[in-house]
């Protein structure tokens, strides 16, 4: 009985993550075009490739469970992406926009880390060891992305601070 409940929660969590990942796949190219720093653009591009693999892992797990990964809409991710989209509508200095985009992306990564950590543990408890290993891989990727974004923020945020003194103006690159 209790296992049934945990299994149901597990499936719910997998579908929630699948919805979250497919939503962020659509948002990442927009975040890339909203960014100015070449390093940040590259980080978004790389995470797009990583996210595609994560979607594949969720599909693989759902296929093993004999269920569809579809059927749930992740409202949490929708909210985080909306906040990022609202930010991109602002008329911000490029360095300040980059700093804001990093913050938006880190909110997304932490949300995903919570989701993957939860389903990873459910998978372990339910005895799905291979699925737990796949989910752990995705969790570590999200963590690595978060760490990389923190490192990027150290330079981008400093540039944003420097904007407080008069400059010749930041060049807008494509
Ligand atoms: Fe992800
Ligand atoms: Fe991610």
């Amino acid at each position: 009985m209790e296992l049934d409940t945990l299994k149901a929660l597990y499936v719910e969590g997998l579908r929630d993550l699948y919805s979250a990942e497919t939503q962020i796949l659509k948002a990442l190219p927009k975040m890339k075009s909203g960014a100015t720093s070449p390093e940040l653009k590259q980080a978004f591009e790389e995470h797009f490739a990583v996210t595609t693999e994560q979607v594949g892992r969720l599909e693989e797990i759902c296929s093993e469970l004999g269920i569809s990964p579809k059927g749930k809409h992740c409202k949490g991710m929708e909210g985080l992406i909306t906040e990022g989209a609202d930010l991109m509508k602002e008329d911000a200095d490029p360095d300040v926009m980059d700093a804001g985009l990093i913050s938006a992306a880190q909110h997304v990564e932490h949300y995903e880390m919570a989701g993957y950590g939860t389903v990873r543990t459910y998978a372990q408890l339910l005895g799905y060891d291979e699925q737990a290993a796949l989910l752990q891989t995705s969790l570590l990727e999200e963590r690595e992305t978060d760490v990389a974004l923190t490192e990027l923020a150290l330079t981008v945020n400093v540039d944003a601070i420097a904007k407080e003194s008069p400059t010749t103006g930041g060049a807008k690159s494509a």
Side-chain angles (χ1 to χ4, degrees):
M1 192 70 188
E2 202 157 307
L3 271 183
D4 280 354
T5 306
L6 192 61
K7 172 88 183 278
L9 262 182
Y10 179 48
V11 168
E12 188 90 344
L14 290 171
R15 286 180 170 153
D16 193 71
L17 272 165
Y18 184 78
S19 168
E21 296 288 22
T22 47
Q23 287 183 61
I24 195 67
L25 265 186
K26 280 188 199 162
L28 277 168
K30 293 175 198 167
M31 292 169 81
K32 185 191 162 192
S33 35
T36 300
S37 149
E39 290 85 2
L40 184 56
K41 279 181 181 287
Q42 197 193 329
F44 287 147
E45 199 175 309
E46 282 170 12
H47 201 58
F48 183 90
V50 167
T51 303
T52 304
E53 285 183 36
Q54 294 173 341
V55 168
R57 279 184 207 117
L58 290 169
E59 284 169 343
E60 186 184 334
I61 290 169
C62 288
S63 154
E64 271 170 32
L65 291 169
I67 56 146
S68 167
K70 294 177 186 169
K72 198 166 188 288
H73 180 70
C74 179
K75 290 179 190 166
M77 185 58 80
E78 184 187 359
L80 291 173
I81 288 173
T82 302
E83 287 189 358
D86 287 347
L87 167 76
M88 284 190 280
K89 285 182 205 151
E90 300 286 339
D91 180 23
D93 180 281
D95 291 325
V96 177
M97 177 63 76
D98 281 356
L101 284 170
I102 290 174
S103 168
Q106 288 194 282
H107 280 74
V108 166
E109 295 317 315
H110 279 255
Y111 186 87
E112 292 180 311
M113 281 153 62
Y116 278 115
T118 302
V119 289
R120 184 267 336 263
T121 300
Y122 290 168
Q124 285 171 343
L125 291 170
L126 292 164
Y128 300 129
D129 293 346
E130 283 177 25
Q131 296 177 22
L134 287 172
L135 295 165
Q136 177 70 13
T137 300
S138 294
L139 172 60
L140 291 178
E141 287 172 352
E142 308 295 19
R143 251 187 224 153
E144 277 169 22
T145 302
D146 181 56
V147 168
L149 286 168
T150 296
E151 280 168 15
L152 250 184
L154 290 175
T155 51
V156 167
N157 292 0
V158 165
D159 288 345
I161 291 167
K163 278 293 177 309
E164 281 168 20
S165 56
T167 66
T168 50
K172 273 192 181 171
S173 64

